Amino acid sequence: MRRTKILTGVALALVLGAACVPALSTPGITTSIQLVSTTQISGWQVEYYRNTAYPCSISGYQTFIVGHPIGLARTTARPLWTYMHGGGVGYFDAAGTPQPNDAFMREESLNSLVATSGLMGRVLSDPAGFRVLAVSMCNRDLYTAGALPDPNNPNLLPSGARRTTNGFIATKAAIQFTRTRFTTGKFFLHGGSAGSAGTYSVAWGLQQQGIAPAGIVADSYVVNTDFVAAVESQGI
């Protein structure tokens, strides 16, 4: 019974919010992307960007990094590997307090986006010669929100406007920008934990936009009815 109520509540929220949700095919805004810095790490040139069109939950804006071997020209075609890190789900309660905590709710630094272990280590050394894009998730929204209101968020933008949640649309913008700036062949989405769930949302949106990825690596779980049932049965 409780699981039915949970799923019914989710469905109702989706129906009620449908009228104000941007279409999945809506492109991300790339005109507000700024190059913050360029550095070299272990034979790779890493460019760090900030997109001021999409704010984080508490402070700052969505950021991303693009890495490629030092000396590789922008016009040299390479496949692109997009990494979407984890970090759980977060929100603000009725008192405006971040729940379960305030982790991953502020602008992410270059160093926090660099990933070189596990599967990413294998990608970096793969003979295919990938360029690598790593995006932030500073709204803790599973990369599924497209510039939507953030209920109970007391943190305002410098202009005084209310902040929004942007994981889905900001990730699309980062991919669009990178594919335009660098000559890109096939591209892939890879996510762990929250990023794993997010790969499906972002891939669907990119497909609707006409630029579907060649594949996804969801390295954790999928948010569907079976997942909700498993969570419910374990009392999580």
Side-chain angles (χ1 to χ4, degrees):
M1 176 65 71
R2 182 180 167 205
R3 181 171 73 247
T4 301
K5 289 181 178 179
I6 291 173
L7 294 176
T8 301
V10 171
L12 179 60
L14 289 174
V15 170
L16 292 176
C20 59
V21 175
L24 288 173
S25 59
T26 302
I29 297 172
T30 60
T31 53
S32 298
I33 293 175
Q34 307 167 349
L35 175 63
V36 179
S37 64
T38 301
T39 188
Q40 295 182 354
I41 303 175
S42 302
W44 285 69
Q45 181 160 309
V46 181
E47 300 179 5
Y48 176 54
Y49 294 92
R50 175 185 296 120
N51 191 343
T52 58
Y54 302 119
C56 299
S57 293
I58 294 178
S59 61
Y61 298 89
Q62 295 277 5
T63 56
F64 61 93
I65 60 173
V66 180
H68 54 87
I70 294 173
L72 182 66
R74 287 196 304 114
T75 54
T76 301
R78 285 288 187 273
L80 177 67
W81 192 273
T82 300
Y83 177 60
M84 303 159 61
H85 70 70
V89 178
Y91 65 99
F92 293 88
D93 64 18
T97 303
Q99 299 294 332
N101 51 51
D102 62 356
F104 294 107
M105 287 190 169
R106 297 175 176 84
E107 182 172 293
E108 297 188 45
S109 67
L110 181 153
N111 289 337
S112 72
L113 295 174
V114 172
T116 59
S117 61
L119 179 57
M120 283 305 301
R122 298 175 65 179
V123 171
L124 295 174
S125 61
D126 192 276
F130 287 99
R131 285 192 182 90
V132 176
L133 164 64
V135 298
S136 61
M137 188 191 68
C138 60
N139 298 134
R140 298 183 78 176
D141 57 1
L142 294 180
Y143 300 89
T144 60
L148 299 177
D150 193 6
N152 303 318
N153 187 344
N155 304 285
L156 302 179
L157 291 169
S159 65
R162 300 192 66 85
R163 291 179 179 268
T164 53
T165 54
N166 317 283
F168 168 76
I169 197 74
T171 300
K172 290 218 299 178
I175 292 170
Q176 293 167 213
F177 175 85
T178 304
R179 294 178 73 240
T180 299
R181 177 168 172 75
F182 302 92
T183 303
T184 302
K186 294 181 178 180
F187 72 100
F188 301 82
L189 304 181
H190 163 213
S193 191
S196 174
T199 58
Y200 285 83
S201 300
V202 175
W204 188 14
L206 291 170
Q207 181 183 38
Q208 294 299 305
Q209 192 177 333
I211 50 173
I216 61 176
V217 179
D219 195 12
S220 185
Y221 67 95
V222 183
V223 178
N224 57 18
T225 53
D226 291 334
F227 168 79
V228 173
V231 169
E232 164 70 7
S233 67
Q234 296 173 66
I236 300 174

